Amino acid sequence: MKKLDIFISGEVMNLCIPTEKFAREAKWYFWFNNPKITRYLDQGMFPNTPEDQAEFFLSQKPNRLMLIISNKKEYMGIISLSKINLIKKICHIAMVLDKSVDKELSFYISLEAMAKLTEHAFNVMGINRIEAGQHVELKGWQQRLELIGYKLEGLHKNKFVKGNEVSASVSISCLYDDFKNIVKHRGSLWDSKENMKKRYNQLPQKAFVDMLNNFFEQERANYYKQIFLL
């Protein structure tokens, strides 16, 4: 299969331009059949096929920016901007990554991919706000995203439903003003793998999502209990 053209190059990864041929012949479809990858995704309840993936790619191509993540040797995931509204200057970002392809660098590949596409959204597309949602158990990933400007905005009880599991999810966002402040201080969201490693090691021991969850369980519960008994 012909190699995909690189759209955004990085230090430990590249973001490449998918094609219909790639959708039909590569492992793109298979990522959504792997239970380890889809554990915290809505996908995975029904099998995905190359034909399904190609149909999705063609239907979404006009409205969604989809890029294939490469560790510069193998393709290992997809990252996208969707719900793009250039009038309100807002969009949604999401990523699916097969960490087994590169266990050594996947920790950094995932974060640099998010950083590079975030920069593209702000600098090239003129976006002012980027949103995302995640399973509450992904708090380690959510904390890493704080290193590139993403802030926790909400905790949503019982929003994630898959099979017999009903769990909370969180909403996060990155604002252009926060992006500008980080770039002014650092030069870019991703300045180097080694610098990001140092920053990660300096993150607070207690994640903000834990603090928010404690607040929800105590103060919020007591507040509404009094109101509902009026």
Side-chain angles (χ1 to χ4, degrees), residues 77-91:
I78 174 79
I79 188 168
S80 68
L81 297 178
S82 62
K83 301 178 183 178
I84 302 169
N85 189 322
L86 296 179
I87 297 176
K88 293 186 176 182
K89 296 182 177 294
I90 190 171
C91 68

Side-chain angles (χ1 to χ4, degrees), residues 97-124:
L97 192 72
D98 183 356
K99 297 179 182 178
S100 67
V101 173
D102 195 330
K103 295 180 180 179
E104 180 182 356
L105 290 178
S106 62
F107 181 94
Y108 301 100
I109 289 170
S110 57
L111 190 59
E112 187 182 18
M114 289 288 290
K116 290 297 184 181
L117 191 55
T118 296
E119 286 183 333
H120 179 79
F122 286 134
N123 290 334
V124 180

Side-chain angles (χ1 to χ4, degrees), residues 155-170:
L155 178 65
H156 312 281
K157 295 292 187 178
N158 297 348
K159 188 173 183 179
F160 181 88
V161 179
K162 187 174 184 180
N164 292 322
E165 179 187 0
V166 179
S167 302
S169 67
V170 300

